[in-house]
Amino acid sequence: MKLKKLAQLIALIGVAGPAVAQEVRQDAPMARVEVTGSSIKRVAKEGALPVQVITADTLQKQGITSAEQLMATISANGTGTDNPTSGNNVFGADADRVSGGASFASFRGLGPNATLVLINGRRAPTHGKSGKAVDLNSIPMAAIARIEILKDGASAIYGTDAIGGVMNIILRSDYQGAEVSAYTNVTEEGGGNIHRGSLVAGTGDLEADGFNVMTTLSFTKNEKLSSKQRDFANGFQPWRGLSPDTTGTPYANQLTGAGTALGTGFKRPNDPNTYLQANPLSFDGKCDTVEGMSQYQTALWKDVTSPLRSTYSCAYDYGGDYIMQSPSEQANLLLRGTYKLAPDHTMFVEAIGSRSEVISILTPAQISTSLANKNAYPVGGQYYQDLSAYIPTYNPTLPIIYKWRANPLGNRTQENTTKSGRLLVGFEGMIQNWDYKLGLSKAQSTTHMDLLDGYANTRAFYDVLGSGIVNPWSLDGSQTQAAMDAIEATKYRGAFQTGKTTMTQLDGTISGELFDLPAGKLAMAAGFDFRRESYMYSQDVAAEPILLSPGNDNLPKATRNVKALFAEFIVPVTKDLELQLAVRRDDYSVIGATTNPKIAFRYQPTSWLLLRGSANKGFLAPSFTQLYTGLLRQELASGVTDTVGCAAHPGDPRFCAPERFDYVSGGNEELKPETSKQGTLGIVVEPFKGFSASLDWWAINIKDRILKRSATEVLRNPTVYGANIYRNSEGLIEFVDARWFNASGAKTRGIDLGLRGDGKFGDGYKWSATLDGTWTGSYQFAEVDGQPYKEYVGEFFTRDLYLRWKHSATLSVSRGDWNVLLSNNFASGYKDQLPNGGKGALPAGFDPDVSSYTRFGLSTTYSGFKNTKLTVGVQNLFDRDPPFTAHNVDDVVGAGWDPRVADPRGRAFTFNVQYKFF
């Protein structure tokens, strides 16, 4: 009876180690299975490590078909920028200009590099261009049997780079029959629809026929969702502390400069100040006559952008032009053949392939013209804008320089095509009660970027601007056909850059029982993992001549070898107490060797109570891109005052009212590996039949965490980051260093909660309920040695948001052929980013608290038709808009909302039909 009760506990608890998706019968032998977090096959029972299981059936009923939707349901996943919507940006602390529309996992908010993604227990290839982690879009979602989330982190079994945790995606195997499914997800307000079709087929019974061959094929299409299709995406709400911090407008603002019409500045009557930018619409109070434009809210940003530049300038809500969901298509294929060599020995060949196309759409280029670049507006041009009526010192005999959002050039549009694949040959079996696994695999991922629109050959485009044919002061945005033809002739369209990662892996494991101890058998496993990894990045054309192109320097093929050996022991100390001891040694050819131990325990004094815990160390080597990516020089859109320079040169507009700052991003060959110490301590209880609960406390300490600096953050903290601000001989800022770096460290603590319940009621009704939640008690971070650790839980942060509480819950009721599922996802609120860098008085309508965000979903499944299953549902049942936030769109994407937290699609209706042929 204890065995049966334990099996029930495993089936109910979402943090169960084995995740056996089958009914356990007393009269059937218990199969030995390998669980995530251990290489030792054993009779399934609750393990020492917290593992969450998500089944394919749950994903289907909730209408989850994309990686982005999946990660939003995992409470242990960070609330960060590791998705295509947040990544569709050119700024921000961790903006990855070569992410190619990828989706990544980031457990505990420690970054994609610190989360190890496995397919059937083996590593998957990293994304071709980014090279930093596995793109979840490459996983064949239609082939998933279940997903096991090891929240313990730093696994000595799979790799000590798993500081945040392990995501093991278990694919279908040994399938017989054929089925097709079709899925559609349509939003109520329009835009952002999702469609998917899939096929699964297989033949052969491994036991009866000695073989099985199966395949899955799926195709998914995500339609574009634009910010203009949702009312809440509005970046101009100054009474609430939100307005654009840019003067790059479709109706250009004129700039000052020696030898130009505005000269070195202008004055207004009865005003001692010398102003540096001007716009006639601003003088007349008519900035809002152009769509998306508004009067620059100087008071809101007076300590960030100098009032000398903004007072008589217009602003533009470029955040309201962002694409909320990039249009994309994904095709995935799985082929698997298994052959029984002998009664206890099998061989299999598995091929996984994917093709992903993502269209990244950014706002049009922002341009500051100059005499040096020969793109100033010429005297005598038909659109010459004479401001003499507003500025008596205006000189209409000189050219005009201006700051302009080049809408006629078009949205900067990139097409990223990623092809990923893995071919694996494996052997599994048993020799004299010892289980073995052996695998040889080759994996690669290649991403090509094509520029589709919005990019021009710089010199040719500047020549067109300098000719005066283009009107940068068009009220309706229109241009003559001659101007559009001239602009079109300057554009670059075509192949731009390519990234490729490869991995060749030979791995093997053997496990079994060594000898008897007084409390039971001592079990062990030992294995090896030899990998050869490579990365290359190349520009198909030179990036420098292309205006604001996202290119980096070429990175010739970089290669490293990784050799790892590991051992694991399960030691029964008493009949109730068991220890797991593991050690792993990794040797990186270009970084060095590291040995990391792990110890875990499980103590079960009664059938209804289990105590468990673990302690381990981790080691995360820098990725190829973090080490070797070439430097990219860019312009920061928003103004940030040079506080040090202005203090040394008071009143000098070059220091106190700078027009722009440049910054560089890229790799850093001096990076050191991240190291971690971490542990868990938990309890699992089943006080009565039909209910179980788990509570696991976790803690992680990291040294030398690898991060990117935000150029804005560097400028705002010159005393901390003074070494990253480079100045010329006059003391003017030349550029800001925003490359990858080793931060001092991070400390995070929290609790994972798992609740499971099921039962019966009425006339044949069955119910089940689940809840998986994460309470983050603390996340403290210091960027440089000697800096005090700062608490970020519940606070705005430009990287991950560390929310106090997140959960995913379900309630299912079924009877006969019917099933109804109610789901809920919740994320707690946090303190908002303060306008004006937190200086000065805040607007009366500003609310420092961003509200919590909760969504409900409801679906009904009917399987009463022959060979057919129908599911209809509603996502975001109550049509909850994202909570309002006044954060600066240059720090995090989203004008008035935050895609790290919320789904912008609104209420959506889902329909899925699944038909089995035989």
Side-chain angles (χ1 to χ4, degrees), residues 152-174:
D152 173 64
S155 171
I157 308 303
Y158 303 114
T160 49
D161 51 351
I163 292 175
V166 178
M167 182 177 184
N168 193 7
I169 300 171
I170 309 300
L171 303 181
R172 294 183 179 189
S173 61
D174 199 19

Side-chain angles (χ1 to χ4, degrees), residues 452-467:
L452 303 184
D453 199 13
Y455 294 94
N457 292 288
T458 304
R459 186 64 264 158
F461 184 65
Y462 282 179
D463 287 344
V464 170
L465 295 184
S467 72

Side-chain angles (χ1 to χ4, degrees), residues 142-144 171-181 197-205 211-218 332-338 349 351 914-918:
I144 291 176
L171 303 181
R172 294 183 179 189
S173 61
D174 199 19
Y175 180 83
Q176 299 176 64
E179 64 180 62
V180 295
S181 65
S198 65
L199 166 69
V200 182
T203 184
D205 184 284
F211 76 94
N212 176 263
V213 178
M214 63 161 291
T215 183
T216 69
L217 176 65
S218 65
N332 300 95
L333 173 69
L334 167 67
L335 296 171
R336 181 182 174 97
T338 308
V349 178
Q914 181 179 342
Y915 180 79
K916 291 187 177 182
F917 292 96
F918 53 88

Side-chain angles (χ1 to χ4, degrees), residues 177-259:
E179 64 180 62
V180 295
S181 65
Y183 168 89
T184 189
N185 183 311
V186 179
T187 62
E188 184 175 281
E189 294 184 67
N193 299 330
I194 302 173
H195 313 283
R196 189 178 81 174
S198 65
L199 166 69
V200 182
T203 184
D205 184 284
L206 194 59
E207 295 301 323
D209 304 322
F211 76 94
N212 176 263
V213 178
M214 63 161 291
T215 183
T216 69
L217 176 65
S218 65
F219 177 81
T220 303
K221 180 176 181 178
N222 298 309
E223 298 177 359
K224 182 177 73 173
L225 176 62
S226 169
S227 292
K228 294 182 178 180
Q229 294 176 277
R230 296 294 183 268
D231 292 338
F232 58 79
N234 176 8
F236 184 72
Q237 302 181 59
W239 59 93
R240 304 174 76 177
L242 175 63
S243 73
D245 178 23
T246 182
T247 56
T249 51
Y251 187 98
N253 289 289
Q254 291 198 27
L255 304 177
T256 53

Side-chain angles (χ1 to χ4, degrees), residues 661-697:
F661 286 116
D662 283 355
Y663 70 99
V664 296
S665 60
N668 181 357
E669 294 190 38
E670 297 180 359
L671 288 175
K672 296 181 291 185
E674 292 184 16
T675 58
S676 70
K677 295 180 180 179
Q678 54 210 102
T680 64
L681 188 63
I683 181 173
V684 183
V685 296
E686 187 187 21
F688 50 85
K689 182 179 180 180
F691 175 77
S692 58
S694 65
L695 199 68
D696 289 279
W697 174 83

Side-chain angles (χ1 to χ4, degrees), residues 246-563:
T246 182
T247 56
T249 51
Y251 187 98
N253 289 289
Q254 291 198 27
L255 304 177
T256 53
T260 69
L262 275 180
T264 57
F266 64 92
K267 293 181 179 294
R268 298 286 288 170
N270 303 316
D271 188 341
N273 293 314
T274 299
Y275 294 97
L276 305 174
Q277 290 186 192
N279 193 309
L281 296 181
S282 176
F283 288 128
D284 294 337
K286 296 181 178 180
C287 286
D288 57 2
T289 57
V290 177
E291 183 181 3
M293 282 177 45
S294 59
Q295 173 61 47
Y296 189 97
Q297 301 298 296
T298 298
L300 196 59
W301 297 106
K302 63 184 179 63
D303 295 297
V304 175
T305 297
S306 171
L308 302 181
R309 291 201 174 275
S310 65
T311 300
Y312 296 107
S313 295
C314 298
Y316 179 62
D317 184 15
Y318 58 103
D321 274 350
Y322 276 120
I323 300 302
M324 294 175 161
Q325 178 175 289
S326 297
S328 65
E329 295 181 355
Q330 289 93 30
N332 300 95
L333 173 69
L334 167 67
L335 296 171
R336 181 182 174 97
T338 308
Y339 180 70
K340 193 168 187 179
L341 300 172
D344 292 321
H345 306 275
T346 60
M347 169 187 174
F348 66 91
V349 178
E350 181 180 86
I352 300 174
S354 69
R355 187 178 191 275
S356 173
E357 291 184 2
V358 181
I359 306 296
S360 298
I361 305 173
L362 307 174
T363 53
Q366 177 181 257
I367 299 168
S368 294
T369 66
S370 68
L371 297 181
N373 286 329
K374 300 180 180 179
N375 53 5
Y377 197 84
V379 176
Q382 60 178 318
Y383 305 114
Y384 190 93
Q385 188 181 68
D386 188 349
L387 299 185
S388 300
Y390 303 94
I391 302 171
T393 58
Y394 194 85
N395 188 344
T397 66
L398 295 176
I400 301 169
I401 60 173
Y402 54 91
K403 195 168 188 177
W404 182 49
R405 180 73 61 173
N407 284 359
L409 190 58
N411 288 324
R412 288 168 285 176
T413 307
Q414 310 159 5
E415 181 181 61
N416 295 279
T417 302
T418 301
K419 298 178 182 179
S420 299
R422 186 184 76 173
L423 179 63
L424 168 66
V425 179
F427 299 86
E428 296 180 353
M430 182 181 292
I431 302 175
Q432 296 183 350
N433 294 322
W434 284 79
D435 295 293
Y436 72 87
K437 294 197 311 179
L438 183 66
L440 176 63
S441 63
K442 176 73 173 182
Q444 74 175 41
S445 177
T446 304
T447 301
H448 295 282
M449 175 193 280
D450 289 347
L451 301 184
L452 303 184
D453 199 13
Y455 294 94
N457 292 288
T458 304
R459 186 64 264 158
F461 184 65
Y462 282 179
D463 287 344
V464 170
L465 295 184
S467 72
I469 193 174
V470 175
N471 180 10
W473 300 286
S474 171
L475 286 171
D476 60 3
S478 64
Q479 300 288 333
T480 65
Q481 189 60 49
M484 294 303 295
D485 290 343
I487 291 173
E488 180 64 31
T490 71
K491 289 186 179 182
Y492 175 79
R493 291 188 173 95
F496 185 65
Q497 60 191 202
T498 300
K500 181 179 180 181
T501 63
T502 66
M503 180 178 66
T504 302
Q505 181 178 23
L506 176 66
D507 65 89
T509 307
I510 186 169
S511 67
E513 296 170 342
L514 290 173
F515 49 80
D516 289 330
L517 293 176
K521 293 183 180 296
L522 174 67
M524 69 87 64
F528 64 88
D529 178 7
F530 300 153
R531 306 192 307 276
R532 184 175 180 85
E533 303 171 341
S534 72
Y535 176 76
M536 63 79 65
Y537 174 90
S538 64
Q539 291 289 149
D540 299 314
V541 296
E544 292 81 5
I546 300 176
L547 181 66
L548 296 181
S549 66
N552 297 326
D553 287 341
N554 288 336
L555 172 59
K557 186 176 181 180
T559 303
R560 68 185 178 197
N561 298 322
V562 185
K563 295 178 288 185

